[in-house]
Amino acid sequence: MDPVINDFSIRIATANGTGSQTSNIVIQRALMKMGLAASSKNLFPSNIAGLPTWFQIRVSPGGWQTMASQWQVLLPLNPATIGRDLRESEPGTVVIENSAMKTADSEFEGLCRYSVPFDQLAREISDAKLRPRLKNLIYVGVVAQLFGIPIDAIRAALGSVFPGKETVIELNVNAAQIGFDFASENLKKQDRWKFEPADQIKHRILIEGNEATALGAIWGGVSVVAWYPITPASSLAEALEKHIGDCRDADPEGGKRFVVIQAEDELAAIGMALGAGWAGARSMTSTSGPGISLMGENLGFGYFAEIPTVVYDVQRVGPSTGLPTRTQQSDLLQVAFQSHGDTRFPFLLPANASEAFEFSCQSYDLADKYQTPVLFLSDLDLGMNTWISDPMPEPTGDMQRGKIATDEVIARLENWGRYRDVDGDGIPYRTIPGVTLHPDTAHLTRGSGHNEDAEYSESPEVYKNNLDRLSRKIDGMVVDLPAPVLTEGDAPLGVIAFGTTDLAMQEALESLDSKPAYLRIRAYPFHEEVEAFLAEHQQVLVIEQNQQGQMAQLLRMHLPQHADRIESATYYGGLPLTTQIVREAIEQQLGVETR
Amino acid sequence: MSEDKKPATNTLGLTKSDYKGGPSTMCKGCGHDRISEAIIQASYDLGLDATNILKMSGIGCSSKTPAYFLGNAMGLNSTHGRMPSFATGAHIANTSMTPIGVSGDGDSASIGMGQFVHILRRNPKMVYIIENNGVYGLTKGQFSATADRQSPSKRGAYPREESIDLCGLALELGATFVSRSFSGDKKQLVPLLKAALSFDGLSFIDVISPCVTFNNHEGSTKSYTHQKEMGVTFHDPYYVSPQDPIDIEYEQGELREVTLHDGSKLLLRKLEHDFDPTDRNASFDAIQRTRNKGEVLTGLIHIDVEARSMSSNSGLTDQPLSMLAQQELRPASGVLDRINDSFRI
Ligand SMILES: Cc1ncc(C[n+]2csc(CCOP(=O)(O)OP(=O)(O)O)c2C)c(N)n1
Ligand code: SF4
Ligand SMILES: [Mg+2]
């Protein structure tokens, strides 16, 4: 049996809340210390303790970070799911099992089984109080010994997880050593999987999408943050609060230059963000689908009254409470047309952590320049998993605060009105209380009909002109929104994807002999390049993570002349998208037999 | 002679009409207009710089009134029940600005109850006025949550649910400035408004403000007549700004004095009964006692000058967040390198 180097996945099944998360991360980190771009997916339940959870680590020669649809090594350590875990494993899968809960061999033939007396080994951990936590490290040691992770890499990984805590690190290493020693003395290697050091990581960093997003907001200059907890968005606001005090200097007296408010609900969170945006601060709120639904009315207010703010939607599975800890891209349509009446909201679609930083930072310029709520749509997969990512890029250029009705502007314009389009781009000059001091600028901002001078009006003409100007303003945003990314191909097919579908798409395309051209959309409203791409291809397959093909619908709606070319392939099970699903969708479209 | 005709001016050299807004569109006789007038009077008397005020409101007849006072102040007429969150955000973005929030009993006691409750807990420096008429004026006369069980609608129907006493609730929630007044009692409302504007925290004023169109009929407990008959107060309030001498007449032991955060004073001249509004238990008791008798207690019900506002406690820089420049907001070059390094594998 020839060994297979650096090309397999390990799946670890445990119960939520048992402390296995640290052990899983230690394995991933140790692989990274060996130079391997080990990716991980945390498939966790909406529960604090007890329900099943899976952690899947993948290493591949290409360093791909998508989840593999199959695993080659399984640790079925949760009695509640062991039957299912074994059943779902392909023949030949390596199984490292607890000898205390060993299932009948006959039931699962063709598996390569290693039996480990984990409970017995745990007794070798002398400190009874720490035993429940430390015993998870034993399986780390077994995995390390079986597949070639040196104990030094484990120690280094623990150093990253518990920086500076030498005693803790030593206790954990010792526990791992118990498993390592047991494996070397008792388990005879019968499988072909093996890790070897490589140079896959290079200059990259390891970061959660939400944390990169939060840092982007800090660099974007956010100073008022209002939020309400919800999975998978909570860690965004929490990361922001963790970093902002350290990154942004206080004033000489120690006065903070930001405020973070945990609001009573999302209605209040968006109200605070809009109130602050109206008053001139850079503001944000972060939430997920249920929160966006609640924010609807006030988002419409922000659109109509033309108030800048940034709203982060880390998407999860809907409808309703849905699957709170699973991923989806299913808020596109609700976000694009959120709120009653004719509204439209621009949104950004980051695909990876460094882009999350970049787009997050950029959102504040867009909101200020176009005086409208800007939405940032990531998802649970990007937000809550760690990613090996390019470093976060330093923003180039200065902050753009947009058109402000300063005294100088008022003097120059003669005919200033809060909602008067003097430059022909649909963007008026806005006021900031305390900055715009000219007495003529005082007015009452309102969500009811208003004329160019912000006075109440029910005139059909005035109303229509105002609404049309708003449309022009939003359409005009494309020049500043991130353009789509085109990858040329040779197959008679174009494919479109966005957000976290990108990595699976990239990997799928690499594995195909005949490659479709690929356009990755990064923002709405759509750039001209999107139209051009549809015009150039007889057939375009839109692949996305929702049931109704929401991006395909948006494209058909805005580009009806190409509607009949647009085909839709969807995945909406809630688990991270696998390359296999994407490849099969493309092959089916191309009429190629699936491998 | 011609000298005398010149309108009077305040410390800022402004006339009272400088504090007016646009013409009101309320029904003639609506209590809400009297409250706008009281705000104009209080602002004029105080020599208030209206450009430091943010007029905030929700939706309702009451919430329309910011268009009718302080025409030089910026305002935001938000969504139904959400004034508190908009006011919080606007104020924290620039704490040198004081919001005057105007809401209705529908706006605050029903759809906006959540935000009302939580802004009291949060306690930003602002004035929070509820123009309380017991009905939804703008949607034409439905009962609001402050409508009393014994108070019939114009058509003779009675509310089926208990009414909410907004002052009792505010006290329960730990509010530090709780007062009730009557739109027909300027002598009381104006000094309360002045004290409210001088207070470092949320000053809540529940103003009984009759809706002449839908809830001023016989039997209504939010009518002008009912308030005149059943309104009771324990103190007459006088506001004295820091630079002014105390020039009201009073007898020994008749005066309670509360010094506000800006050095101004609220003097409370005791009437027939008395209680100490700085004692929270006494405040609860005063509300309960009068309510049991079917009376409507007005005046300053509770004040706590020891507690400070959300903004005073926030540790924020004095410079408004809305005016911070790029170099104060964006971390210096090099910081991102350090952050990136901390995420190296
Ligand atoms: C979300 C929403 N629901 C309902 C309404 C309709 N509405 C407008 S004003 C109002 C009640 C206002 O009552 P109140 O706050 O007491 O103000 P008043 O008119 O009595 O001064 C209602 C229900 C609305 N504007 N928005
Ligand atoms: S309906 Fe009632 S509350 Fe509204 S303006 Fe008329 S009197 Fe005032
Ligand atoms: Mg009312």
Side-chain angles (χ1 to χ4, degrees):
Chain A
M1 212 166 14
D2 285 344
V4 179
I5 313 293
N6 296 342
D7 197 6
F8 63 105
S9 288
I10 302 178
R11 186 171 174 98
I12 303 163
T14 52
N16 207 27
T18 53
S20 55
Q21 185 71 345
T22 310
S23 297
N24 299 340
I25 289 172
V26 167
I27 297 177
Q28 184 194 11
R29 285 274 185 165
L31 291 167
M32 289 176 180
K33 299 287 177 194
M34 296 170 68
L36 294 166
S39 76
S40 69
K41 297 291 176 189
N42 188 13
L43 313 177
F44 62 107
S46 179
N47 158 264
I48 301 302
L51 287 185
T53 181
W54 294 269
F55 194 85
Q56 200 163 311
I57 300 169
R58 179 184 180 199
V59 168
S60 63
W64 295 106
Q65 294 184 67
T66 46
M67 190 173 82
S69 46
Q70 260 302 326
W71 48 93
Q72 287 69 38
V73 177
L74 173 74
L75 281 81
L77 303 178
N78 182 357
T81 61
I82 184 165
R84 163 183 169 186
D85 289 330
L86 292 173
R87 225 169 296 124
E88 287 175 358
S89 299
E90 283 178 347
T93 301
V94 176
V95 177
I96 300 170
E97 60 195 334
N98 185 341
S99 49
M101 50 190 237
K102 200 166 182 291
T103 48
D105 280 344
S106 53
E107 207 182 324
F108 302 101
E109 273 176 48
L111 299 174
C112 169
R113 304 171 80 148
Y114 298 108
S115 185
V116 183
F118 284 112
D119 301 340
Q120 239 162 293
L121 292 174
R123 287 188 212 122
E124 292 178 30
I125 300 167
S126 47
D127 190 325
K129 235 170 70 203
L130 295 176
R131 197 176 294 147
R133 302 236 128 225
L134 288 176
K135 76 172 205 275
N136 288 311
L137 267 295
I138 298 175
Y139 73 70
V140 175
V142 174
V143 167
Q145 198 280 333
L146 276 174
F147 306 108
I149 307 173
I151 269 292
D152 280 348
I154 301 285
R155 187 189 309 275
L158 281 161
S160 303
V161 176
F162 301 110
K165 297 188 181 155
E166 290 312 324
T167 336
V168 179
I169 295 169
E170 248 352 273
L171 282 168
N172 279 278
V173 172
N174 292 344
Q177 191 75 51
I178 295 172
F180 197 95
D181 293 346
F182 171 84
S184 48
E185 285 156 28
N186 302 285
L187 303 180
K188 189 174 169 297
K189 177 104 175 154
Q190 305 164 37
D191 65 81
R192 40 198 204 123
W193 313 108
K194 206 160 166 37
F195 296 120
E196 273 177 13
D199 185 21
Q200 293 182 337
I201 296 190
K202 305 201 164 69
H203 62 296
R204 290 184 296 171
I205 61 171
L206 180 73
I207 190 166
E208 277 182 21
N210 278 346
E211 194 158 17
T213 307
L215 287 159
I218 298 170
W219 260 258
V222 74
S223 63
V224 177
V225 180
W227 69 292
Y228 186 75
I230 185 169
T231 304
S234 295
S235 57
L236 200 171
E238 283 161 356
L240 196 148
E241 200 160 10
K242 182 177 98 188
H243 287 292
I244 193 165
D246 177 38
C247 295
R248 183 174 299 162
D249 292 337
D251 72 14
E253 278 84 50
K256 290 187 296 176
R257 291 181 169 133
F258 63 89
V259 63
V260 180
I261 305 175
Q262 188 185 316
E264 58 269 33
D265 54 32
E266 289 87 348
L267 303 170
I270 182 68
M272 289 174 195
L274 285 168
W278 173 76
R282 292 201 147 180
S283 65
M284 64 156 268
T285 181
S286 47
T287 187
S288 188
I292 295 288
S293 295
L294 282 183
M295 290 180 188
E297 189 190 12
N298 278 340
L299 279 171
F301 180 86
Y303 176 80
F304 199 42
E306 301 183 59
I307 301 175
T309 195
V310 178
V311 180
Y312 295 88
D313 176 5
V314 187
Q315 297 167 94
R316 67 187 213 187
V317 171
S320 191
T321 304
L323 308 178
T325 59
R326 295 292 151 85
T327 194
Q328 219 167 48
Q329 301 176 310
S330 51
D331 292 349
L332 264 62
L333 289 175
Q334 99 141 342
V335 159
F337 307 110
Q338 182 57 272
S339 208
H340 54 280
D342 291 307
T343 60
R344 215 138 47 88
F345 294 92
F347 56 77
L348 301 172
L349 297 164
N352 53 60
S354 102
E355 209 167 69
F357 175 89
E358 193 186 333
F359 288 5
S360 174
C361 179
Q362 190 187 355
S363 299
Y364 297 87
D365 284 351
L366 289 165
D368 272 353
K369 182 163 176 193
Y370 293 93
Q371 303 174 22
T372 200
V374 168
L375 283 106
F376 172 104
L377 262 66
S378 66
D379 59 28
L380 181 141
D381 189 11
L382 174 56
M384 289 189 73
N385 282 308
T386 53
W387 296 86
I388 299 162
S389 159
D390 286 333
M392 294 170 282
E394 187 83 49
T396 52
D398 288 335
M399 284 182 186
Q400 305 289 316
R401 297 297 324 253
K403 297 189 205 173
I404 296 168
T406 56
D407 285 358
E408 177 267 319
V409 167
I410 305 282
R412 176 163 58 81
L413 295 181
E414 282 172 11
N415 194 22
W416 173 85
R418 169 64 185 93
Y419 297 113
R420 185 162 291 121
D421 178 10
V422 282
D423 300 328
D425 55 4
I427 311 171
Y429 287 79
R430 74 180 173 117
T431 50
I432 294 180
V435 172
T436 21
L437 297 171
H438 196 284
D440 293 351
T441 57
H443 66 277
L444 194 65
T445 301
R446 56 177 99 232
S448 47
H450 43 265
N451 65 17
E452 294 176 318
D453 292 309
E455 295 155 342
Y456 183 70
S457 167
E458 294 178 0
S459 149
E461 238 3 74
V462 166
Y463 167 77
K464 208 171 135 298
N465 286 341
N466 193 29
L467 211 65
D468 292 347
R469 178 181 59 78
L470 285 171
S471 265
R472 266 191 290 128
K473 182 180 85 166
I474 301 295
D475 285 336
M477 290 185 78
V478 288
V479 298
D480 287 314
L481 291 170
V485 180
L486 176 70
T487 312
E488 302 283 1
D490 50 24
L493 176 71
V495 290
I496 286 180
F498 59 92
T500 50
T501 306
D502 180 50
L503 267 187
M505 179 65 83
Q506 285 190 36
E507 191 183 356
L509 291 180
E510 208 197 54
S511 71
L512 287 168
D513 297 332
S514 166
K515 298 183 201 315
Y518 167 37
L519 191 75
R520 178 161 72 89
I521 293 178
R522 301 198 296 169
Y524 171 85
F526 301 126
H527 283 72
E528 274 175 23
E529 287 95 317
V530 178
E531 209 269 272
F533 187 80
L534 288 170
E536 269 167 36
H537 296 89
Q538 282 301 322
Q539 250 192 356
V540 174
L541 180 64
V542 183
I543 304 183
E544 55 191 309
Q545 299 170 53
N546 59 63
Q547 183 212 36
Q548 299 181 348
Q550 298 191 17
M551 178 60 91
Q553 288 194 48
L554 262 186
L555 289 165
R556 288 189 197 110
M557 179 180 157
H558 285 290
L559 300 161
Q561 67 274 34
H562 303 303
D564 56 357
R565 299 167 177 226
I566 298 171
E567 301 287 336
S568 170
T570 60
Y571 168 76
Y572 46 95
L575 297 178
L577 186 65
T578 63
T579 301
Q580 191 184 347
I581 290 170
V582 173
R583 192 175 53 223
E584 282 173 13
I586 295 173
E587 285 174 338
Q588 198 174 14
Q589 196 66 35
L590 286 170
V592 179
E593 202 137 303
T594 299
R595 288 181 288 183
Chain B
M1 202 58 216
S2 65
E3 206 61 278
D4 294 343
K5 273 193 179 157
K6 263 203 178 158
T9 54
N10 65 9
T11 47
L12 288 186
L14 297 172
T15 67
K16 202 168 139 191
S17 68
D18 290 326
Y19 289 89
K20 291 194 171 148
S24 169
T25 59
M26 299 288 106
C27 306
K28 205 164 155 12
C30 174
H32 299 351
D33 277 338
R34 304 287 90 75
I35 301 171
S36 299
E37 284 163 17
I39 295 171
I40 292 168
Q41 184 69 50
S43 306
Y44 169 76
D45 291 351
L46 283 175
L48 199 71
D49 179 354
T51 60
N52 290 331
I53 296 294
L54 301 174
K55 301 180 293 185
M56 310 298 289
S57 66
I59 296 290
C61 294
S62 33
S63 291
K64 288 185 177 189
T65 63
Y68 318 138
F69 60 81
L70 306 192
N72 290 332
M74 296 275 193
L76 187 147
N77 172 206
S78 71
T79 46
H80 196 18
R82 317 300 169 208
M83 178 277 282
S85 58
F86 280 85
T88 303
H91 173 63
I92 210 72
N94 186 343
T95 52
S96 67
M97 299 266 170
T98 303
I100 298 182
V102 176
S103 178
D105 42 326
D107 200 55
S108 279
S110 287
I111 191 168
M113 183 52 108
Q115 299 211 348
F116 173 61
V117 161
H118 288 279
I119 200 170
L120 289 171
R121 296 177 56 225
R122 211 164 268 133
N123 199 31
K125 174 176 166 40
M126 72 176 285
V127 182
Y128 193 130
I129 300 167
I130 295 184
E131 308 193 339
N132 187 350
N133 53 17
V135 287
Y136 292 180
L138 194 58
T139 51
K140 299 193 185 296
Q142 299 85 354
F143 287 126
S144 82
T146 64
D148 293 312
R149 291 291 288 268
Q150 72 275 21
S151 183
S153 72
K154 256 179 135 175
R155 293 204 201 117
Y158 286 86
R160 279 182 230 119
E161 292 141 355
E162 267 317 312
S163 74
I164 296 171
D165 183 322
L166 294 167
C167 286
L169 180 64
L171 262 183
E172 177 63 41
L173 291 163
T176 52
F177 184 117
V178 181
S179 63
R180 181 151 47 212
S181 194
F182 171 42
S183 66
D185 186 357
K186 246 189 215 171
K187 245 185 80 212
Q188 184 190 60
L189 181 53
V190 171
L192 282 178
L193 278 165
K194 290 182 194 168
L197 281 160
S198 304
F199 185 74
D200 184 34
L202 187 146
S203 8
F204 174 53
I205 317 184
D206 174 19
V207 190
I208 307 300
S209 176
C211 168
V212 291
T213 307
F214 298 111
N215 202 14
N216 196 35
H217 46 275
E218 209 184 316
S220 160
T221 59
K222 295 285 192 295
S223 68
Y224 281 108
T225 322
H226 186 268
Q227 190 59 33
K228 278 181 190 139
E229 282 169 4
M230 300 307 288
V232 292
T233 186
F234 296 161
H235 309 112
D236 275 341
Y238 299 88
Y239 176 85
V240 185
S241 57
Q243 60 276 5
D244 286 350
I246 296 173
D247 65 351
I248 64 159
E249 287 177 18
Y250 60 94
E251 285 172 14
Q252 194 68 25
E254 208 189 28
L255 215 58
R256 287 187 181 277
E257 190 180 300
V258 184
T259 304
L260 302 167
H261 303 100
D262 64 354
S264 61
K265 289 184 167 55
L266 189 64
L267 308 179
L268 301 170
R269 192 169 64 189
K270 299 175 194 171
L271 298 173
E272 212 172 314
H273 301 281
D274 182 31
F275 80 105
D276 176 3
T278 63
D279 172 355
R280 191 174 284 273
N281 289 333
S283 306
F284 272 117
D285 185 57
I287 289 188
Q288 280 303 341
R289 246 186 312 133
T290 48
R291 195 162 56 189
N292 291 344
K293 287 194 269 178
E295 295 170 338
V296 189
L297 176 64
T298 65
L300 182 73
I301 294 173
H302 182 66
I303 192 162
D304 175 0
V305 286
E306 304 300 321
R308 300 307 298 265
S309 70
M310 166 197 189
S311 17
S312 294
N313 289 330
S314 65
L316 274 182
T317 177
D318 289 336
Q319 208 188 350
L321 296 177
S322 64
M323 295 185 194
L324 295 177
Q326 175 170 334
Q327 62 270 21
E328 289 148 338
L329 291 170
R330 181 165 288 167
S333 68
V335 178
L336 192 56
D337 291 339
R338 170 166 68 74
I339 296 283
N340 272 322
D341 282 342
S342 74
F343 289 104
R344 298 240 177 246
I345 297 155

